[in-house]
């Protein structure tokens, strides 16, 4: 699971940050939201049931964060 999470971080961290920046409009708040999103992804990864795509799940977490 650790390798999968590392891949997710590499693939999605910039996308998550850009989404947060577009929603929040402030760089520091977007950085915090992106970091919190990745923490929530890490904590929830074991329960991801693949009922939707991984990216949809991650962006849903990012929007809610």
């Amino acid at each position: 699971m650790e390798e999968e999470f590392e891949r997710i971080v590499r693939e999605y961290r910039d996308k998550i940050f850009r989404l947060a920046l577009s929603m929040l409009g402030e760089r520091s708040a977007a950085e915090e939201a992106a970091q919190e999103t990745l923490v929530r992804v890490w904590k929830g990864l074991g329960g991801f049931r693949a009922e939707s795509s991984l990216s949809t799940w991650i962006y849903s977490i990012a929007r809610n964060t």
Side-chain angles (χ1 to χ4, degrees):
M1 186 162 70
E2 211 170 301
E3 288 178 14
E4 176 68 11
F5 181 68
E6 288 174 8
R7 184 189 67 78
I8 289 170
V9 170
R10 282 192 307 274
E11 187 172 337
Y12 290 97
R13 75 175 155 222
D14 292 339
K15 296 172 186 174
I16 293 168
F17 171 75
R18 285 193 300 271
L19 175 63
L21 185 60
S22 72
M23 293 177 72
L24 300 170
E26 184 182 302
R27 184 174 186 84
S28 63
E31 288 171 349
E32 280 187 41
Q35 183 174 357
E36 179 62 26
T37 297
L38 289 170
V39 168
R40 291 179 183 196
V41 167
W42 169 252
K43 289 180 177 179
L45 196 55
F48 175 63
R49 296 182 306 243
E51 293 174 355
S52 61
S53 71
L54 180 63
S55 62
T56 299
W57 181 69
I58 290 171
Y59 292 134
S60 175
I61 293 170
R63 281 190 310 275
N64 290 330
T65 300

